[in-house]
Amino acid sequence: MRLALPSLILFLYILFSLIIWLPCRPWVKIAMAITFFLIGLKYVIYVYLGGSFIAPGFPFWALVLMEFFYSAMIMLVFLLIIKDLLALFFFISRLFGSSWHLPLAIGIRSLILIVMALALSGYATWESMRVPRVKTVNIALAGLPAELDGFSIVQLTDLHVGPLLHGKWLEQAVNKTNALKTDLIVLTGDLIDGTPVALKNDIAPYGKLHARYGVYGVTGNHEYYFGAMRWEAVFANLGIEMLDNEYRAISVNGKNLILTGVPDEAALRFGEKGPVYTMLQNMTQKDTVILLQHRPSRLTSDSPVDLQLSGHTHGGHIFFLKWLVAAFNDGLVSGLVDFNGPKLYISSGTGLWSGFSCRLGVPPEITQLILRRQEG
């Protein structure tokens, strides 16, 4: 399993940076090592005991505890790296005549680091599960008609309704969205983690989404883990118009806003049709074209797309992991990116996957996008 190796690396770092240096009896060190090793087996436990890597069948409280302790493990490694870099710096400084050492005794220092890791993890776990605040982003587009200036779009993405984020959470997110009285609502994939039968009651609030010009969506990779074709029919019954390599011309004050959408590339692994962009060939420079695509991608300056809306990255989860997530997504992780004309907005996500429920410095968002005319 691809995440088992990183977990083992986390465990080994804690073992050699913290545990073996503790001034305590061997049995205490062994107990701590076993505890951290078991925490690092989270994904193995999800697969073999919970029955699913994506949506393990554990009680809510058990999932929260496992996510909390795994997050604490990550936070502890981060703090230990800082401690070790300082120790290295002080060691080098002593070669040049200084007397600098790390403060406090090893035992007290280690206890402080563990408490800090637990506190950061508690906050990060809560942050990943709370109802998001509204984030408003003004996006200036070249050639935007005056009739579309001020047009509002709410983007919801990566809600992952399932084992951790249930119907009550979704209902509150939907109520916040509807309160914005937006022109258009778009959902850019990973809306669920589970089957239609298992989530029948939890997904009902999706049907309450309302916008002046409609509610549209595209599939993310997680939809394909649970039968995307079945889910597309469910979403349609809930009033979400899914765009599957399609486009819709939305008339706004006599001007057309072209909304296009493609399925996630994960469709290809499940024998279904992946993203196809031939419909964009019919677009002209006079059209204002918005593309819904779950995964962010780089746009060329001559692309007919004016604005692409994506998610998938969860904003990197934790501020010190953004570089790692960006490395697996062509350098793209969150926020507004300008490709010398065409623009891409990557939401940090409205919810979060239950397999890594941790946010630190990367809050969830209900994104309110306001289209503006670009001057000059």
Side-chain angles (χ1 to χ4, degrees):
M1 186 184 298
R2 60 187 178 187
L3 290 178
L5 180 58
S7 299
L8 177 61
I9 293 172
L10 293 175
F11 162 71
L12 290 174
Y13 198 94
I14 293 172
L15 178 65
F16 289 105
S17 178
L18 176 74
I19 296 176
I20 63 173
W21 303 105
L22 290 174
C24 56
R25 295 181 180 181
W27 70 266
V28 175
K29 296 182 181 181
I30 293 171
M32 288 185 66
I34 291 173
T35 299
F36 280 109
F37 182 73
L38 290 175
I39 292 172
L41 289 178
K42 182 188 76 168
Y43 293 110
V44 176
I45 293 170
Y46 280 2
V47 171
Y48 292 102
L49 297 182
S52 172
F53 173 68
I54 302 297
F58 289 117
F60 175 80
W61 63 267
L63 275 175
V64 172
L65 279 178
M66 284 188 280
E67 290 301 308
F68 165 73
F69 284 118
Y70 192 81
S71 296
M73 193 171 179
I74 294 172
M75 301 300 171
L76 182 57
V77 168
F78 173 67
L79 294 173
L80 288 173
I81 289 174
I82 294 175
K83 181 264 294 182
D84 292 338
L85 288 175
L86 283 172
L88 178 61
F89 173 76
F90 291 154
F91 171 76
I92 294 173
S93 73
R94 288 196 297 276
L95 297 179
F96 292 91
S98 83
S99 58
W100 294 344
H101 289 81
L102 289 173
L104 306 175
I106 292 177
I108 296 174
R109 187 169 63 237
S110 298
L111 178 61
I112 290 173
L113 290 176
I114 292 172
V115 171
M116 287 177 64
L118 290 171
L120 287 172
S121 178
Y123 175 79
T125 304
W126 170 81
E127 179 84 336
S128 72
M129 298 174 61
R130 69 170 173 83
V131 178
R133 300 183 182 94
V134 175
K135 179 180 179 179
T136 301
V137 181
N138 287 279
I139 301 181
L141 299 178
L144 185 74
E147 291 83 356
L148 292 175
D149 186 49
F151 188 87
S152 62
I153 304 170
V154 170
Q155 179 190 7
L156 304 175
T157 191
D158 299 277
L159 293 95
H160 292 281
V161 175
L164 280 180
L165 302 177
H166 301 149
K168 274 190 175 181
W169 175 90
L170 179 60
E171 185 170 14
Q172 293 178 68
V174 166
N175 290 340
K176 269 195 172 184
T177 299
N178 287 339
L180 296 173
K181 301 186 185 302
T182 189
D183 292 314
L184 187 69
I185 295 174
V186 297
L187 300 100
T188 49
D190 282 7
L191 310 182
I192 49 83
D193 273 332
T195 65
V197 173
L199 299 179
K200 181 180 179 181
N201 295 325
D202 289 312
I203 60 170
Y206 276 130
K208 298 178 182 179
L209 285 170
H210 176 75
R212 183 179 179 187
Y213 293 98
V215 181
Y216 295 85
V218 292
T219 55
N221 52 307
H222 279 234
E223 273 74 44
Y224 291 94
Y225 305 148
F226 299 99
M229 295 301 289
R230 288 181 298 165
W231 271 113
E232 286 195 25
V234 171
F235 293 143
N237 289 333
L238 290 168
I240 303 171
E241 188 168 353
M242 301 298 288
L243 299 177
D244 193 356
N245 293 319
E246 300 170 288
Y247 74 91
R248 298 289 185 270
I250 300 172
S251 180
V252 181
N253 301 321
K255 293 291 183 178
N256 279 344
L257 177 69
I258 308 298
L259 185 67
T260 66
V262 296
D264 185 72
E265 62 187 49
L268 298 170
R269 305 205 320 261
F270 291 84
E272 298 183 25
K273 194 172 185 179
V276 178
Y277 303 95
T278 52
M279 74 280 195
L280 296 176
Q281 297 172 2
N282 300 322
M283 309 302 166
T284 70
Q285 290 185 342
K286 293 181 180 179
D287 295 320
T288 299
V289 181
I290 296 177
L291 172 64
L292 308 182
Q293 178 172 289
H294 179 61
R295 301 182 198 227
S297 61
R298 294 189 173 274
L299 301 168
T300 59
S301 58
D302 60 349
S303 171
V305 175
D306 293 285
L307 174 64
Q308 178 178 319
L309 302 179
S310 299
H312 184 64
T313 64
H314 302 163
H317 290 271
I318 307 173
F319 71 91
F320 56 79
L321 291 182
K322 280 195 170 190
W323 66 271
L324 180 61
V325 175
F328 285 93
N329 290 277
D330 201 15
L332 304 168
V333 64
S334 65
L336 186 62
V337 185
D338 190 337
F339 295 101
N340 193 25
K343 291 181 171 65
L344 163 68
Y345 184 78
I346 311 165
S347 168
S348 292
T350 311
L352 206 61
W353 170 48
S354 59
F356 192 20
S357 190
C358 177
R359 285 186 181 274
L360 188 64
V362 186
E365 61 186 71
I366 293 171
T367 319
Q368 181 178 235
L369 306 160
I370 310 295
L371 304 187
R372 297 296 183 188
R373 298 186 72 188
Q374 183 169 298
E375 300 298 332

